[in-house]
DNA sequence: CTACAACCTCTAGTAACTATAGCTGCAAGG
DNA sequence: CCTTGCAGCTATAGTTACTAGAGGTTGTAG
């Protein structure tokens, strides 16, 4: 029975919280493990590998849905990996877009903060700037992808 | 009665959805407006100003909680605007940290994508890289602030 | 035998909306 | 006067990816 571990050990080995592991099982991302006589989850190394894969993908910002697809594709060993490539590239584009968006916000925030030289709220340029969208470059009112 | 408008007009004037306006009212970010004889919300220009302020802050990535504080501070007209400044600067730091984080992901994703030159899933370097956290620079397993 | 940690299930909470169901109000056309 | 249809109303549930808690059971060490 080499490598049979309980959920606490799996959590440590994968740097993933116990709750999260149970959550992944519930949504079908991790297969249901065996149970001990006392109804405790018993994991083997397959589970650990899969969980490490998932956590690494999460650390890279993939959504659980994207990860589900990647795991599915990884199971089909003679398929072309074009789809894998595609998912990764789409995600890269998303990341790049987020960076661009945030750089815009950074620039605008700096402009607003630097513009305030007074000390009273009723003359505060930050509040004025926040109330006035006119000079702002952050056009996307309504798009909350920060 | 100049400027008395219904929720649909307010939505258009602020580029904010009707549902969102009602939501802001429910959580106390927008004050409850008057009602018409037929129980419809009736707004004046104060509401529009406040809503535009909120939407602009949201576009800049402030949380509703931060916005609540900003609105509160803006009401106290003889207070020092140091706190306003503080909120804005904290947010700027948050944005800068997110940018750094995402730049790390971008670099790592590019490395992984560029490493894959084969065409079959069972040799796919992307999947291998995703399963192996060893060479990865994105250390923060568990921190999902993307 | 008794602590105590680690496990179990189930439910609710987070942020900031968005969407749906099922209703009423209101103005215009026939 | 009646209908059509849009705009408004409330209330509830869904989204993402967890996290926290209640309240109970199992396993182990002293």
């Amino acid at each position: 029975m080499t490598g049979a571990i309980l959920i606490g050990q799996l959590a440590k080995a994968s740097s993933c919280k116990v709750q999260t592991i149970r959550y992944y099982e519930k949504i079908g991302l991790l297969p249901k493990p065996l149970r001990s006589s006392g109804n405790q989850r018993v994991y083997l190394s397959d589970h650990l590998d899969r969980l490490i894969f998932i956590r690494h993908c999460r650390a890279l910002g993939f959504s659980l849905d994207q990860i589900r697809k990647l795991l599915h594709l990884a199971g089909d060993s003679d398929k072309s990996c074009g789809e894998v490539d595609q998912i990764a590239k789409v995600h890269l584009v998303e990341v790049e877009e987020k960076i661009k968006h945030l750089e815009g916000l950074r620039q605008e925030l700096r402009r607003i903060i630097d513009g305030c030289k007074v000390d009273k709220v009723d003359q505060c340029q930050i509040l004025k700037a926040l109330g006035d969208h006119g000079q702002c470059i952050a056009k996307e009112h309504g798009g909350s992808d920060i």
Side-chain angles (χ1 to χ4, degrees), chain A residues 19-78:
Chain A
Q19 324 273 69
T20 307
I21 295 172
R22 289 198 278 246
Y23 170 71
Y24 287 162
E25 179 185 327
K26 201 172 107 187
I27 63 168
L29 210 57
L30 269 182
K32 286 184 196 297
L34 298 169
R35 296 290 182 132
S36 72
S37 58
N39 199 34
Q40 296 185 223
R41 290 170 176 84
V42 177
Y43 296 96
L44 302 175
S45 62
D46 282 3
H47 285 101
L48 179 57
D49 292 344
R50 196 175 172 97
L51 187 50
I52 286 173
F53 180 90
I54 293 170
R55 293 311 290 173
H56 191 190
C57 289
R58 286 295 297 132
L60 288 170
F62 287 94
S63 72
L64 292 184
D65 216 57
Q66 289 172 318
I67 296 171
R68 200 187 297 276
K69 283 184 189 119
L70 288 172
L71 284 166
H72 185 76
L73 291 168
D76 237 346
S77 64
D78 55 18

Side-chain angles (χ1 to χ4, degrees), chain A residues 8 14 26 60 65 72 90 95-97 126 133 138 141 146:
Chain A
S14 60
K26 201 172 107 187
L60 288 170
D65 216 57
H72 185 76
V90 164
V95 168
E96 282 167 343
E97 277 166 4
I126 293 181
H133 201 49
H141 268 189
I146 180 164

Side-chain angles (χ1 to χ4, degrees), chain A residues 97-113:
Chain A
E97 277 166 4
K98 269 181 195 162
I99 290 172
K100 249 183 221 126
H101 180 63
L102 288 171
E103 282 171 347
L105 299 194
R106 178 177 60 184
Q107 187 187 335
E108 180 65 11
L109 283 167
R110 282 180 180 159
R111 188 181 72 73
I112 288 174
I113 289 168

